[in-house]
Amino acid sequence: MNPNRIIKSSLLCVSLAAAVMWLASGSASQSVKPAQIKPASYNAADYVGSEACKDCHEDQFKAYSHTSHAQLAKIGSWKGKVTGCESCHGPGKDHIAEGDPAKIISFKNKSSKETAETCLACHAGKEERNNFRRGEHWRNDIGCTDCHSPHSNTTGMNLASSNVHVTTANAEKPGFSSIRMLKMNDPQLCLSCHSEVKPAFSAPFHHKVLEGAMRCSDCHNPHGGFELKQARLATGGDAACIKCHADKQGPFTYEHAPVKTEGCTACHTPHGSANPRLLRFSAVNQLCLTCHSVAHDVGAVEPSGPQHNQNAQYANCTACHVKIHGSRSSPVFFR
Ligand code: HEC
Ligand code: HEC
Ligand code: HEC
Ligand code: HEC
Ligand code: HEC
Ligand code: HEC
Ligand code: HEC
Ligand code: HEC
Ligand code: HEC
Ligand code: HEC
């Protein structure tokens, strides 16, 4: 690895962090707000309520009635606001009176992105999805309804899920989701488009995603973000990894610089690897020497190379430099 990258990427971190703070200061106080999609000529009498749709669209009504969208009408702050079927489909009065499918907002001929605008009218304010329009999914025309089914596809449950660990209680059948109105469960959903990452999760060392012990969305925000690869790095550092590997975060008296500047992926392949500890190299010394190969001049930007030579005794660097993520007492990470 080119040592200059270390400097560049730490500069990048600083400027990204500044951008995040700037944006957060403008939007952090918002949350999901009552419908903002009233047409210019809003007339309360054009809205008939979801019950009026029930008889002719039983399937949609049944599925929808299990979602949190169906609960909104019962919440105080939504009183007098448009909720239910018409919060997405617009006023239903003329459609019902005339039985004309052209008299209701339909999404049939809309792109995913256009449909997503309807969802974002209510959902954009929440931190988790603030950056949807900055993410790779948006840039590639993937909208809400590519992952979520608008009416839910379930017979019942819309459980709150932990996104930290999948337990038997919230584990699902492959290809089926009962939570978050997802079309399929995570990871099946993600792998249906990202099949190229699947083999890594079967490598000799891997995070147990296919086994159901964790999800793609533990590390990625499917709703986009500033971070490279939409990784979840909420507070800088490596929030996604730290959530489960808190001991690697410190604070340490003696930090190993790349853990903080480049993050965990400077040394680890996150999905899976043929190398133990998910390391980027099969031999630890190869990994270290990608950065520590140069002599250290005072004032130089490169990290120091080891003064000791590279014979067998020194080959396994972490035999001596044990606390490789940082140490509270040893500047060379011995303990
Ligand atoms: C009296 C029966 C009736 C009622 C009540 C009714 N619809 Fe419909 N709706 C239809 C028919 C008929 C169609 C056209 C055939 C089809 O697509 O199923 C239709 C089609 C639709 C479509 C698809 C339009 C398209 O072509 O893409 C939507 C969306 C829709 N209705 C929403 C609603 C909503 C929301 C309500 C309640 C406000 C509602 N309907 C109430 C009969 C009804
Ligand atoms: C959260 C927004 C939202 C709500 C609420 C909603 N719909 Fe829909 N509806 C959609 C979208 C988006 C589609 C297009 C389906 C797609 O692209 O998969 C759709 C499609 C439809 C269709 C066309 C047939 C189909 O299933 O694709 C009908 C009929 C329909 N909705 C009726 C209803 C009724 C009745 C209700 C209330 C019980 C309702 N919708 C509530 C967003 C919504
Ligand atoms: C009228 C405003 C409004 C619109 C339009 C809307 N939503 Fe929602 N939605 C809400 C609110 C409020 C909640 C409940 C609070 C929350 O989870 O953020 C919610 C919850 C959800 C949930 C969580 C469900 C669960 O069971 O945990 C999903 C997923 C969702 N919406 C997706 C969508 C999609 C996809 C669309 C567009 C097709 C959409 N919403 C359109 C207001 C809206
Ligand atoms: C690439 C797939 C994907 C896309 C696109 C997507 N979602 Fe999600 N969404 C998910 C997954 C997976 C979860 C569950 C993750 C979790 O529990 O943290 C989720 C959870 C949610 C939730 C409930 C959890 C929460 O954060 O409150 C809401 C609401 C939601 N999505 C709304 C939306 C809206 C609105 C859009 C479009 C602007 C959208 N999603 C686009 C995959 C997607
Ligand atoms: C409907 C197809 C589809 C689904 C479902 C989907 N994605 Fe994507 N995703 C894409 C496309 C297209 C891109 C942009 C092109 C690319 O990099 O593959 C993308 C980009 C990404 C990226 C950024 C890749 C990069 O190189 O910057 C990540 C990370 C990602 N998706 C994760 C997920 C996760 C996690 C899920 C499940 C919650 C998911 N995706 C579900 C289609 C999808
Ligand atoms: C342990 C955390 C973690 C899990 C679990 C995880 N990812 Fe990733 N993924 C990452 C990180 C971090 C990167 C960035 C890799 C890099 O910078 O070298 C990444 C990169 C990606 C990319 C960009 C292409 C690539 O290979 O670099 C895609 C697409 C992707 N992940 C999809 C997924 C999907 C789909 C799943 C679930 C099957 C998943 N990820 C599970 C952390 C994770
Ligand atoms: C949802 C929790 C979770 C997240 C998030 C997570 N991990 Fe892990 N990780 C685990 C668990 C559990 C294990 C050990 C058990 C196993 O799966 O084999 C593990 C194992 C590891 C190992 C050791 C593998 C070995 O062979 O001993 C490394 C290295 C690792 N993770 C790095 C990371 C990095 C880097 C990230 C962020 C990109 C990350 N983890 C995110 C849960 C997580
Ligand atoms: C400078 C390279 C480097 C960076 C950066 C790095 N690691 Fe490691 N990590 C290693 C090495 C080398 C090992 C194997 C140590 C050994 O030989 O026992 C390891 C081992 C691990 C292990 C498994 C053994 C244990 O101690 O639990 C986990 C989990 C882990 N790292 C997580 C992380 C996380 C999370 C991050 C980001 C906060 C991170 N690593 C950043 C080099 C690094
Ligand atoms: C991604 C680049 C990178 C990798 C890989 C890496 N280091 Fe470092 N390391 C650094 C930087 C930068 C410093 C900060 C000190 C400096 O500027 O000299 C540092 C500092 C150290 C120090 C503290 C002594 C000093 O000169 O400050 C030791 C010891 C060390 N690394 C050992 C290792 C070992 C052993 C490995 C392999 C497990 C390793 N490093 C992998 C970049 C790296
Ligand atoms: C047998 C134990 C041992 C092994 C194995 C070992 N080192 Fe060291 N390392 C040391 C000692 C002792 C020091 C000097 C500590 C001091 O100055 O207090 C040191 C210092 C360093 C330093 C700080 C700069 C310097 O040279 O003083 C770096 C960087 C370093 N080692 C990297 C490595 C790398 C890379 C490897 C693997 C190729 C490695 N070490 C293997 C014992 C070891």
Side-chain angles (χ1 to χ4, degrees), residues 40-115:
S41 58
Y42 172 69
N43 180 356
D46 292 339
Y47 290 84
V48 295
S50 303
E51 286 290 330
C53 320
K54 188 177 175 182
D55 289 343
C56 300
H57 301 293
E58 214 188 323
D59 289 351
Q60 286 86 357
F61 185 87
K62 255 171 120 178
Y64 156 87
S65 60
H66 301 296
T67 66
S68 30
H69 289 152
Q71 307 304 314
L72 296 182
K74 299 176 197 146
I75 298 171
S77 56
W78 286 81
K79 284 267 145 56
K81 308 274 172 26
V82 178
T83 61
C85 315
E86 293 164 302
S87 68
C88 292
H89 290 291
K93 189 171 154 240
D94 291 351
H95 168 62
I96 293 179
E98 299 167 34
D100 184 356
K103 291 272 161 70
I104 190 96
I105 295 177
S106 162
F107 299 93
K108 261 186 197 145
N109 300 317
K110 291 204 166 92
S111 70
S112 298
K113 253 177 157 169
E114 286 170 316
T115 302

Side-chain angles (χ1 to χ4, degrees), residues 284-286 288-289 292 303-310 312-321 331-332 334:
V284 170
N285 62 340
Q286 272 177 284
C288 312
L289 294 173
H292 290 284
S304 55
Q307 299 294 313
H308 38 69
N309 60 31
Q310 292 306 304
Q313 187 199 348
Y314 293 104
N316 185 6
C317 314
T318 47
C320 298
H321 301 284
V332 289
F334 280 178

